[in-house]
Amino acid sequence: MKKIALMLALLLLLSAAFVSCKRDNGDADNTANTEIKLEPMNFFEIDISEYVALGEYSGLDINCEDGQSRGDAVWAKVVDGSEIKKYPEHQVNYYFEQARTKYEYLARQGNDTYENILAGLGVTEEDMIAEARELTRDDLVFAAVVKAENISLSDADKNNNFDKYVEKFVDSYGYGEEYVRENMSEQIYETMLFDKMLEKLITLNNFASTEG
């Protein structure tokens, strides 16, 4: 899930910034400019239909491109077939702030300016806003499918799969196992729910290729 990967990568940067500031200054005061100030919205607690009209998501004929998994293929199809009525600006701003924080951190690490880092990477704030809207769109469709199909995680889902997801987070993102277990249960359960939703979408649709 792209959103989780981006969030975890940013957490790694923030962690490194915190350690660096403590080492250099004896405290963490300089991390103030690195902290994410906005909290993400919980789309499972609002009327999701206000923001998105879910398109057809079952009985579709789906072609998997070379190397594309069935999960990626069906998710792309469902997202493309859904209509975003309006973007919740709070969530867009949340993702934009995450991106800005990442580039500001890179600028400080390189003793450079935020503007120079963006220019050197060929990134604009318009690009960052576009990506923020893309991530928000995925959040909205995700929540819409979960609500439409009444998908949830049971205690058995959480207990039986937690260790597997801890291992996945450690291998994929470089965190220590103890840190993941103690601090990342929320991200693990969200990833678990997303994967369960994908499994449901796969069973509801037809695939021309069984690869992936």
Side-chain angles (χ1 to χ4, degrees):
M1 188 178 180
K2 184 178 180 183
K3 180 186 80 170
I4 294 295
L6 290 174
M7 290 174 64
L8 294 180
L10 181 60
L11 282 172
L12 276 175
L13 289 176
L14 297 183
S15 176
F18 180 83
V19 171
S20 175
C21 286
K22 290 197 69 174
R23 182 176 61 246
D24 294 341
N25 304 307
D27 57 44
D29 290 345
N30 286 349
T31 61
N33 292 330
T34 312
E35 294 174 356
I36 296 296
K37 300 177 180 64
L38 293 176
E39 292 293 328
M41 294 175 63
N42 186 340
F43 291 116
F44 301 107
E45 296 182 350
I46 64 173
D47 181 4
I48 198 69
S49 64
E50 179 182 345
Y51 298 98
V52 60
L54 189 60
E56 294 294 333
Y57 63 88
S58 64
L60 303 173
D61 294 321
I62 299 172
N63 293 313
C64 293
E65 299 177 0
D66 290 343
Q68 187 180 37
S69 70
R70 290 184 298 170
D72 287 345
V74 69
W75 179 240
K77 187 82 169 179
V78 171
V79 170
D80 288 344
S82 299
E83 176 192 354
I84 304 302
K85 297 178 180 178
K86 65 177 180 179
Y87 285 91
E89 289 305 314
H90 178 94
Q91 190 76 351
V92 173
N93 290 336
Y94 166 73
Y95 285 125
F96 175 79
E97 187 179 273
Q98 281 194 321
R100 184 181 178 94
T101 298
K102 176 181 67 176
Y103 293 121
E104 287 175 342
Y105 168 76
L106 293 175
R108 282 193 296 275
Q109 289 297 101
N111 196 28
D112 206 340
T113 67
Y114 166 75
E115 291 77 13
N116 284 344
I117 289 294
L118 291 189
L121 294 172
V123 176
T124 66
E125 289 199 338
E126 287 74 19
D127 295 330
M128 293 155 62
I129 292 172
E131 182 179 41
R133 286 177 173 270
E134 204 173 292
L135 291 168
T136 301
R137 176 201 64 190
D138 287 355
D139 285 345
L140 291 169
V141 177
F142 171 34
V145 175
V146 166
K147 287 192 173 185
E149 288 296 317
N150 196 27
I151 301 169
S152 62
L153 294 178
S154 66
D155 289 340
D157 289 330
K158 295 178 180 180
N159 294 332
N160 294 339
N161 294 295
F162 191 80
D163 288 347
K164 179 179 70 175
Y165 278 84
V166 168
E167 183 178 346
K168 178 179 178 180
F169 275 42
V170 170
D171 291 343
S172 299
Y173 306 116
Y175 286 98
E177 180 178 340
E178 183 178 355
Y179 183 84
V180 172
R181 289 185 180 278
E182 293 181 358
N183 299 283
M184 294 189 169
S185 58
E186 182 179 343
Q187 288 89 352
I188 284 177
Y189 292 140
E190 183 175 355
T191 305
M192 203 180 289
L193 181 62
F194 184 84
D195 289 348
K196 188 170 184 177
M197 178 214 56
L198 280 187
E199 290 171 4
K200 181 66 175 181
L201 288 178
I202 289 171
T203 66
L204 291 173
N205 293 283
N206 310 306
F207 296 86
S209 170
T210 58
E211 294 182 6

